[in-house]
C-alpha cells in the first residue's frame, strides 16, 4: 500500500540520488578497507535511513511494506554492506520490539533506533544451531530480579557496532516453547565479542560472535515481559524481513543488469560491441527477465501483506526466488564481463561474492522451500 | 529578513534530452523532471543564511505547471518555510517570469532574492538580471560566496578574469553559481514533514502580470554528432597538420 504516491516518489528519488552520488562512488573504498567510512554512516543517519520501518509515533517513517520494498529496491543497487548498516535497525534488530515489546521497551528503544543513535542487532544463530532455530542452547536462568545468560551466538550481523541485541535464549524445556527473547544491552556485565569474522563477501559488513558468560540482564529485558514467547517473536521478525531481503536482491540484480548492459555496449570483439553478439544478448535477456519477475513478485507480495493477508508462503517464495535469481544474474554478469569481471576492481566481482550470502541468511533456500511446501500442503 | 527563492522545474540533469519530431522544442512527456540544480544551490544558501541567523523566513516560489508543486515540496523538505506556486501551462520565459516575480516581491517584501544564475533547460541566464531591472535593485550575479552584514550583502562573483567582490545595498538580487555550496539531501523525515508546510496556489494575474509568450521559437535541433578525427604518423605530421589548421 502506498499512502501518498507523490511523497513516496520524493523519498525514493532522494534515496536513489544518495545511492548513486554518495554510496556507489564509495564502494571501492569499502572493498579495500572492509569498513564503511564513519562520515557515510553519519550521512545515512542524517538522511533518516535508520528509521524507515519504525512507526511514526516513535520517530520513524512507519513505511508500509510496499513503501519499504520500494526503498529497499533502491538500497539494493549498491554494495550490500551499506544496506546492512541500517538493515538491523529497520529489520531484525527492531521488529521484535515493534511486534511484541512492552510500552516501556518501545518508548525507550524505538526512538533511539529510529534516529540511529543506537544500533540494534539480532542474535539467534549459534555455533551448533542455524536452520534448526528451535534447538538453541544459550541458557537463561532466573536469579532474583535478574536473568543469568550463558552461551555463544555466531555470525551476528552488526554485533561489533551494536548497542542492543534481540537475543534468543532458553528459559524453559526443549523446543520452541522454551525460548525467550531478551533485549540485551552491549554493556551488560558478562557480554563480550569474538574476533571479527573474515567473510567471502559483503566486505564492510561486520559480524562476530557474541559471548555470554554469566551475563546479567534484568527481568524486564524480556521482550513483552513473558517467558517462552521468543520463538514466535523470532519468526515474526524473520517473516517481515524476507520481503525486504528479496527486494534488496532485486535491487542488486538491477545493478548487475545495468553494469552488464553498459559493458556490453562499450566492449568490442570481432569488430563490434559484444552486445551485438546474440549469445551475449541471450544472457542479458535472461537476466533482465528474471530481474523483472523478481520485482513484480516482491511488490505484489508486499501489497498483499499491507492488505492484511497471510503471506508466509509468498514471503518465502520471494526470498527463495530473488536470492537464487540474483545469484544467476551475478554469474551471467561476470560471464558478460569476461576476464575483467574476475578482477578485484570490477563491481560485478564483489557483487558475485556479496550476493551468495542472500541464499544463506534469514532462512536458507532450503528452509524457504520447506515453508512454502508446508503452507501449500496445509492450506 | 525574508528571503525569496524562485525555483524552476526542469528536465533532470541525468536525462538525455531529445528534440521533438517537429522541432518545436524538446520532448517532455514521460521525462524525469527535477529542480534546476542552480536553484537547488540557491535554496541551500538561503537555508545556510537562516541557520546562521541572518534570515527569518524562506519563501520558495515556482512558476510552472501543477507538477511544479513537487519541486516546491523538495525545497520545503530541504528547509524552506513556505511555498507559492504560480500555476501556468504556458512556457515560462525570462521576462514573463521576472514580471511575475516582481509581483511576488511587491507582495512579500523580501530583503533578498536568491536564484540560480540560469536554468539548465534554456540556459537563458536572464531572469535575475531582468528582475533586478524591474525592481531597480542592486544585483550580484554568478555568486560563489555570499556574506550578509546588516543592510549590505558582500557577493563574490565568478567573472571571466577570476573573482570579483562587490558590496550590494539590500534589498538585492543574488544569482548563484555552481561553486557556492554543495546542496544537502532532504532527509526522509523532513520530506514527510514538508507535506504539512503551507503551499499557496496563485496565478500570474494575482500578481498583475501575464506569462503570454514574448518569444517565438524558430527551430530546435540536436547538436551535431562528433566527427571522425584524423590519425597522424608522428609528431612532425601532428605539428604540420595543427599549423595548417591554423591552431598553432
Amino acid at each position: 500500500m502506498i499512502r501518498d504516491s507523490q511523497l513516496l516518489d520524493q523519498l525514493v528519488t532522494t534515496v536513489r540520488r544518495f545511492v548513486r552520488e554518495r554510496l556507489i562512488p564509495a564502494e571501492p573504498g569499502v572493498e579495500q578497507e572492509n569498513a564503511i567510512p564513519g562520515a557515510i554512516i553519519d550521512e545515512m543517519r542524517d538522511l533518516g535511513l535508520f528509521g524507515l520501518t519504525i512507526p511514526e509515533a516513535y520517530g520513524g517513517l512507519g513505511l508500509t511494506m510496499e513503501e519499504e520494498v520500494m526503498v529497499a529496491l533502491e538500497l539494493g543497487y549498491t554494495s550490500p554492506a551499506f544496506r546492512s548498516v541500517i538493515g538491523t535497525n529497520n529489520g531484525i534488530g527492531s521488529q521484535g520490539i515493534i511486534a511484541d515489546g512492552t510500552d516501556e521497551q518501545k518508548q525507550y528503544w524505538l526512538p533511539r533506533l529510529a534516529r540511529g543513535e543506537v544500533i540494534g542487532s539480532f542474535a539467534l544463530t549459534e555455533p551448533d544451531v542455524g536452520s534448526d532455530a528451535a534447538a538453541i542452547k544459550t541458557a537463561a536462568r532466573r536469579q532474583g530480579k535478574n536473568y543469568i545468560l550463558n552461551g555463544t551466538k555466531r555470525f551476528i550481523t552488526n554485533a561489533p557496532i551494536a548497542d542492543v541485541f534481540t537475543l534468543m535464549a532458553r528459559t524453559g524445556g526443549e523446543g520452541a516453547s522454551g525460548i525467550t527473547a531478551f533485549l540485551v544491552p552491549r554493556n551488560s556485565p558478562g557480554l563480550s565479542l569474538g574476533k571479527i569474522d573474515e567473510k567471502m563477501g559483503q566486505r564492510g559488513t561486520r559480524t562476530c560472535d557474541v559471548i555470554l558468560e554469566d551475563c546479567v540482564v534484568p527481568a524486564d529485558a524480556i521482550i513483552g515481559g513473558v517467558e517462552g514467547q521468543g520463538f514466535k517473536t523470532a519468526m515474526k521478525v524473520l517473516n517481515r524481513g524476507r520481503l525486504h531481503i528479496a527486494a534488496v536482491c532485486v535491487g542488486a540484480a538491477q545493478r548487475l543488469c545495468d553494469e552488464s548492459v553498459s559493458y556490453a555496449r562499450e566492449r568490442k570483439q570481432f569488430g563490434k560491441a559484444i552486445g551485438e553478439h546474440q549469445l551475449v544478448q541471450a544472457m542479458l535477456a535472461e537476466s533482465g527477465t528474471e530481474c523483472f519477475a523478481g520485482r513484480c513478485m516482491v511488490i505484489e507480495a508486499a501489497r498483499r501483506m499491507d492488505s492484511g493477508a497471510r503471506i508466509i508462503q509468498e514471503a518465502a517464495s520471494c526470498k527463495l526466488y530473488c536470492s537464487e535469481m540474483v545469484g544467476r544474474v551475478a554469474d551471467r554478469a561476470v560471464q558478460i564481463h569476461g576476464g575483467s569481471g574476475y578482477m578485484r576492481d570490477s563491481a560485478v566481482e564483489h557483487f558475485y561474492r556479496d550476493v551468495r550470502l542472500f541464499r544463506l541468511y534469514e532462512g536458507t533456500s532450503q528452509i524457504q522451500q520447506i515453508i512454502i511446501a508446508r503452507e501449500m500442503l496445509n492450506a | 529578513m525574508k528571503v525569496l527563492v524562485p525555483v524552476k522545474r526542469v528536465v533532470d540533469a541525468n536525462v538525455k534530452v531529445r528534440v521533438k519530431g517537429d522541432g518545436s522544442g524538446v520532448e517532455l512527456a514521460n521525462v524525469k523532471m527535477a529542480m534546476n540544480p542552480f536553484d537547488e544551490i540557491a535554496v541551500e544558501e538561503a537555508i545556510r543564511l537562516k541557520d546562521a541567523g541572518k534570515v527569518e523566513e524562506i519563501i520558495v516560489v515556482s512558476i510552472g505547471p501543477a507538477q511544479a508543486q513537487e519541486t516546491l515540496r523538495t525545497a520545503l523538505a530541504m528547509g524552506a518555510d513556505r511555498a507559492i506556486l504560480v500555476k501556468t501551462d504556458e512556457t515560462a520565459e525570462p521576462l514573463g517570469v521576472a514580471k511575475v516575480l516582481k509581483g511576488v516581491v511587491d507582495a512579500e517584501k523580501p530583503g533578498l532574492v536568491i536564484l540560480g544564475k540560469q536554468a539548465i533547460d534554456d540556459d537563458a541566464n536572464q531572469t535575475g538580471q531582468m528582475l533586478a531591472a524591474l525592481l531597480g535593485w542592486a544585483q550580484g550575479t554568478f555568486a560563489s560566496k555570499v556574506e550578509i552584514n546588516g543592510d549590505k550583502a558582500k557577493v563574490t562573483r565568478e567573472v571571466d578574469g577570476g573573482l570579483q567582490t562587490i558590496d550590494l545595498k539590500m534589498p538585492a538580487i543574488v544569482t548563484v553559481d555552481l561553486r557556492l555550496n554543495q546542496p544537502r539531501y532532504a532527509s526522509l523525515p523532513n520530506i514527510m514533514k514538508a507535506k504539512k508546510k503551507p503551499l499557496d496556489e496563485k496565478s500570474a494575474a494575482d500578481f498583475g502580470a501575464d506569462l503570454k509568450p514574448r518569444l517565438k521559437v524558430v527551430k530546435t535541433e540536436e547538436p551535431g554528432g562528433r566527427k571522425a578525427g584524423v590519425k597522424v604518423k608522428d609528431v612532425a605530421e601532428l605539428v604540420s597538420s595543427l599549423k595548417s589548421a591554423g591552431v598553432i
Side-chain angles (χ1 to χ4, degrees):
Chain A
M1 179 179 56
I2 291 170
R3 294 166 295 174
D4 180 332
S5 58
Q6 196 191 328
L7 196 64
L8 182 69
D9 188 54
Q10 268 199 309
L11 286 178
V12 167
T13 306
T14 303
V15 174
R16 179 177 303 163
R17 258 186 77 181
F18 181 68
V19 164
R20 281 164 176 69
E21 293 171 8
R22 305 288 304 143
L23 302 186
I24 292 179
E27 281 177 14
V30 169
E31 277 300 307
Q32 197 112 44
E33 304 296 326
N34 193 17
I36 296 175
I40 288 203
I41 296 181
D42 289 343
E43 281 185 72
M44 292 169 93
R45 199 175 280 129
D46 291 344
L47 204 56
L49 286 174
F50 284 91
L52 300 173
T53 64
I54 293 172
E56 285 175 279
Y58 300 102
L61 299 183
L63 297 188
T64 64
M65 196 68 231
E66 188 179 358
E67 293 168 342
E68 181 187 344
V69 155
M70 301 312 286
V71 173
L73 286 167
E74 297 299 331
L75 290 170
Y77 200 78
T78 182
S79 286
F82 297 114
R83 204 275 327 173
S84 206
V85 175
I86 60 148
T88 49
N89 277 32
N90 284 302
I92 53 181
S94 69
Q95 292 299 322
I97 307 173
I98 294 170
D100 292 331
T102 62
D103 277 348
E104 291 75 25
Q105 286 165 344
K106 289 179 185 174
Q107 296 288 358
Y108 185 80
W109 290 110
L110 294 181
R112 291 173 169 79
L113 287 162
R115 288 193 294 268
E117 241 172 67
V118 305
I119 302 288
S121 180
F122 182 76
L124 173 64
T125 300
E126 296 180 356
D128 297 329
V129 179
S131 293
D132 184 10
I136 58 161
K137 292 174 182 166
T138 296
R141 178 167 44 85
R142 178 106 197 197
Q143 193 179 71
K145 286 181 184 161
N146 296 323
Y147 280 85
I148 311 296
L149 274 52
N150 278 290
T152 299
K153 294 292 178 183
R154 182 137 291 175
F155 309 144
I156 304 306
T157 302
N158 285 342
I161 53 169
D163 301 286
V164 60
F165 297 90
T166 296
L167 188 141
M168 303 299 155
R170 190 167 297 285
T171 48
E174 279 182 20
S177 61
I179 297 173
T180 299
F182 289 89
L183 284 169
V184 183
R186 164 68 185 93
N187 55 11
S188 303
L191 187 151
S192 61
L193 299 177
K195 71 171 180 56
I196 291 176
D197 300 324
E198 288 287 342
K199 303 186 302 305
M200 175 197 285
Q202 300 214 0
R203 285 173 66 79
T205 305
R206 303 292 186 90
T207 67
C208 69
D209 281 2
V210 177
I211 302 152
L212 307 153
E213 290 165 309
D214 290 328
C215 171
V216 183
V217 293
D220 64 9
I222 292 180
I223 292 184
V226 187
E227 279 189 14
Q229 301 298 309
F231 192 77
K232 281 187 202 150
T233 301
M235 292 306 115
K236 280 184 205 166
V237 166
L238 293 176
N239 223 345
R240 185 183 171 107
R242 283 183 187 130
L243 288 181
H244 181 100
I245 297 287
V248 170
C249 291
V250 174
Q254 188 62 54
R255 170 74 182 281
L256 287 156
C257 285
D258 292 353
E259 293 282 344
S260 300
V261 166
S262 67
Y263 189 79
R265 280 198 187 119
E266 297 294 319
R267 172 76 172 169
K268 290 194 173 60
Q269 286 294 288
F270 302 103
K272 52 186 177 182
I274 61 167
E276 290 178 38
H277 295 298
Q278 289 188 336
L279 291 176
V280 173
Q281 290 177 3
M283 288 191 276
L284 289 174
E286 294 268 15
S287 290
T289 305
E290 290 196 302
C291 181
F292 181 56
R295 188 182 168 90
C296 293
M297 74 193 288
V298 171
I299 294 172
E300 171 63 16
R303 283 183 186 153
R304 287 194 198 179
M305 179 165 171
D306 287 334
S307 75
R310 177 186 169 93
I311 54 128
I312 293 177
Q313 181 185 331
E314 289 90 334
S317 293
C318 289
K319 164 73 165 64
L320 171 66
Y321 179 81
C322 296
S323 63
E324 295 281 337
M325 176 275 286
V326 71
R328 295 190 293 272
V329 171
D331 191 76
R332 287 186 207 109
V334 172
Q335 198 66 21
I336 291 166
H337 280 72
S340 332
Y342 197 68
M343 296 299 140
R344 273 288 150 96
D345 57 1
S346 151
V348 298
E349 187 272 340
H350 75 75
F351 268 98
Y352 180 81
R353 287 180 287 111
D354 294 343
V355 302
R356 189 63 186 84
L357 183 57
F358 293 134
R359 286 186 258 170
L360 304 172
Y361 72 4
E362 300 204 23
T364 61
S365 290
Q366 288 66 37
I367 288 291
Q368 308 304 334
Q369 288 174 319
I370 288 168
I371 294 169
I372 296 162
R374 190 186 62 207
E375 287 290 308
M376 290 170 75
L377 291 165
N378 291 350
Chain B
M1 177 175 73
K2 278 191 207 174
V3 52
L4 182 73
V5 187
V7 295
K8 187 176 186 184
R9 178 175 182 267
V10 298
V11 173
D12 187 285
N14 299 309
V15 169
K16 190 178 179 322
V17 174
R18 287 177 208 284
V19 173
K20 277 190 196 163
D22 63 1
S24 62
V26 299
E27 197 53 72
L28 294 180
N30 295 319
V31 171
K32 179 151 180 54
M33 307 291 279
M35 191 191 303
N36 174 36
F38 290 108
D39 297 343
E40 221 177 346
I41 295 170
V43 173
E44 175 67 32
E45 195 61 20
I47 297 167
R48 290 186 188 191
L49 289 172
K50 191 178 173 190
D51 289 345
K54 307 277 187 189
V55 164
E56 279 88 46
E57 190 185 26
I58 302 167
I59 307 153
V60 284
V61 55
S62 190
I63 296 157
Q67 297 92 318
Q69 234 193 68
E70 293 163 24
T71 311
L72 290 168
R73 292 279 174 213
T74 303
L76 292 172
M78 287 173 73
D81 297 294
R82 62 188 169 91
I84 302 167
L85 170 65
V86 181
K87 207 170 132 187
T88 177
D89 291 320
E90 299 275 8
T91 305
E93 291 176 359
L95 185 56
V97 169
K99 288 188 171 183
V100 174
L101 290 178
K102 178 181 183 296
V104 178
V105 168
D106 290 341
E108 296 288 348
K109 310 213 172 347
L112 191 65
V113 179
I114 309 181
L115 66 169
K117 67 167 181 175
Q118 65 195 64
I120 61 164
D121 49 3
D122 56 12
D123 280 332
N125 181 6
Q126 294 168 355
T127 305
Q129 294 88 330
M130 286 176 169
L131 178 60
L134 289 172
L135 288 165
W137 286 11
Q139 58 176 314
T141 51
F142 318 130
S144 66
K145 197 174 175 192
V146 178
E147 287 169 88
I148 307 287
N149 282 309
D151 65 344
K152 287 268 170 58
K154 191 172 169 189
V155 175
T156 305
R157 307 179 58 229
E158 298 200 351
V159 293
D160 281 348
L163 297 174
Q164 180 192 56
T165 303
I166 55 172
D167 267 328
L168 306 178
K169 191 171 178 313
M170 297 209 287
I173 310 285
V174 173
T175 79
V176 307
D177 215 320
L178 202 60
R179 278 160 288 270
L180 178 60
N181 61 47
Q182 175 86 43
R184 71 194 61 195
Y185 295 95
S187 81
L188 306 185
N190 285 342
I191 291 174
M192 307 276 269
K193 283 178 205 144
K195 190 82 189 157
K196 297 190 185 87
K197 289 187 179 176
L199 192 157
D200 284 335
E201 203 178 297
K202 300 274 190 186
S203 69
D206 293 336
F207 297 105
D210 72 79
L211 287 156
K212 280 202 294 287
R214 290 156 173 90
L215 303 172
K216 193 174 150 217
V217 175
V218 182
K219 197 161 69 172
T220 311
E221 52 190 337
E222 305 247 355
R226 224 177 117 190
K227 295 205 182 72
V230 191
K231 277 191 184 163
V232 292
K233 270 203 314 287
D234 49 27
V235 174
E237 195 186 326
L238 173 66
V239 171
S240 76
S241 44
L242 286 175
K243 270 187 184 152
S244 60
V247 199
I248 53 171

